Amino acid sequence: MTDVEIPADHPRYESLVTRHRIEAGIEKGITSRQGLIAQGRGEAFDYLLGERTIPSARAAERAAAALLLSADHPVLSVNGNVAALVPEEIVELAAATEADLEVNLFNRTEERMERIAEHLREHGATEVKGLAGDGRIPGLSHERATVDADGIGAADVVLVPLEDGDRAEALASTGKTEIVIDLNPGSRSSRSAAVPIVDNIVRAIPNVTRHARELSDAPIEELQYVIDSFDREEALEAAETAIRRGSFDDDGDAEADGRNDDAEANDE
Ligand code: PTJ
């Protein structure tokens, strides 16, 4: 199934490649089947956003880089979708910001935890947290509360991509600064984040890394300025507006906004 050739000249090539990476993740035992549903939801929002990084997301990505660089103990949380879509890129971001990588699953099984940790090591990670599972996010029941005490448990800044809303809210209420990557600006995860990045993770992670490299020698005052200049409410509103503008009119036709050649060519 995953060895299907996607023609490089297909107008929605990137989107189709992303979809196949999730399929491959399921076959490899790292992504949950629910990850497919999450991907479908994400794709719908990305389609309406024009499958591009909007300016407010770019500002969020820069603020996220500044936050990670100025943190005492930053942690990047990795779930089954993240591991399938951006394994090498998340390892690069961890290196660029000196952050820990922690496997943290909504549907936690030891087998999938091990496989994801191994997958990250295959893509260059030296240390992967999450397997100890000796800490808990307060306010959550069951296995989905499990974290590493010296990982997310001890972090001051946590990047949580594609997170379930309940967990994102519980984590934010512990006082940690939360950066969320989620294509839905109305989700509880986006709403609970100090820095919500409304962008596809396949674009967002390399963008944050690029900003982190640019800011790596910046004084703390400059990092603080980047963080303080970011307005989360404004960014969420800008994303909602972009989605509304990119949506379909009452007749079901794509609005003429300059990106519909691609949109209408979607014959998948
Ligand atoms: O691997 P696990 O067990 O930890 O499970 C991971 C999933 C993603 C299945 C789990 O956390 C889940 O069910 O998440 P939700 O509640 O479906 O939320 C996922 C959010 O991520 C949704 O708001 C989607 O719009 C968004 N999303 C999906 N794909 C992408 C995305 N955001 C950015 N980039 C994407 N590629």
Side-chain angles (χ1 to χ4, degrees):
M1 178 164 35
T2 51
D3 54 5
V4 168
E5 282 266 331
I6 303 165
D9 62 350
H10 191 289
R12 303 195 57 254
Y13 177 79
E14 290 300 332
S15 169
L16 299 179
V17 168
T18 304
R19 196 179 286 180
H20 283 290
R21 278 199 215 141
I22 292 285
E23 280 186 291
I26 292 172
E27 284 168 12
K28 204 172 169 186
I30 57 179
T31 308
S32 75
R33 276 188 289 178
Q34 287 182 25
L36 266 179
I37 299 167
Q39 172 66 22
R41 292 166 69 191
E43 267 188 24
F45 286 105
D46 204 17
Y47 180 67
L48 293 172
L49 280 165
E51 295 170 349
R52 71 204 153 106
T53 300
I54 59 173
S56 55
R58 201 171 306 128
E61 285 157 359
R62 195 162 176 84
L67 259 177
L68 290 168
L69 287 172
S70 58
D72 287 327
H73 186 173
V75 176
L76 314 182
S77 176
V78 179
N79 66 20
N81 286 49
V82 177
L85 293 178
V86 285
E88 200 175 317
E89 294 84 349
I90 198 100
V91 171
E92 280 179 20
L93 177 59
T97 56
E98 293 180 28
D100 280 345
L101 285 166
E102 175 162 342
V103 184
N104 187 244
L105 301 183
F106 181 72
N107 302 297
R108 185 181 174 112
T109 67
E110 287 313 306
E111 194 184 347
R112 208 149 64 83
M113 294 288 298
E114 299 276 0
R115 284 193 181 177
I116 293 174
E118 185 50 32
H119 186 65
L120 291 175
R121 283 188 215 105
E122 282 166 15
H123 286 84
T126 43
E127 200 197 339
V128 181
K129 292 194 192 286
L131 298 163
D134 52 356
R136 293 187 77 72
I137 306 172
L140 285 178
S141 59
H142 212 51
E143 281 292 286
R144 69 203 177 110
T146 308
V147 292
D148 272 16
D150 67 348
I152 289 177
D156 55 345
V157 175
V158 190
L159 173 82
V160 278
L162 282 66
E163 184 57 284
D164 159 76
D166 229 28
R167 290 211 312 171
E169 279 185 349
L171 197 60
S173 67
T174 62
K176 299 180 195 302
T177 302
E178 197 171 51
I179 303 163
V180 163
I181 300 174
D182 190 328
L183 278 157
N184 178 1
S187 76
R188 282 190 297 144
S189 305
S190 292
R191 299 264 150 204
S192 61
V195 176
I197 301 176
V198 183
D199 198 5
N200 196 316
I201 190 171
V202 300
R203 296 187 297 270
I205 296 289
N207 285 346
V208 179
T209 303
R210 188 169 42 78
H211 288 297
R213 288 183 179 142
E214 274 170 27
L215 291 167
S216 64
D217 294 326
I220 189 71
E221 294 78 16
E222 187 180 338
L223 297 179
Q224 198 56 51
Y225 177 77
V226 173
I227 297 164
D228 292 344
S229 315
F230 176 72
D231 184 329
R232 59 180 299 282
E233 299 299 333
E234 210 174 274
L236 289 172
E237 211 178 299
E240 281 187 8
T241 304
I243 285 170
R244 254 184 258 118
R245 287 218 181 111
S247 68
F248 292 81
D249 66 23
D250 290 339
D251 300 328
D253 295 329
E255 289 169 3
D257 64 355
R259 62 159 200 96
N260 295 310
D261 290 347
D262 279 6
E264 285 171 353
N266 174 22
D267 52 6
E268 268 281 304

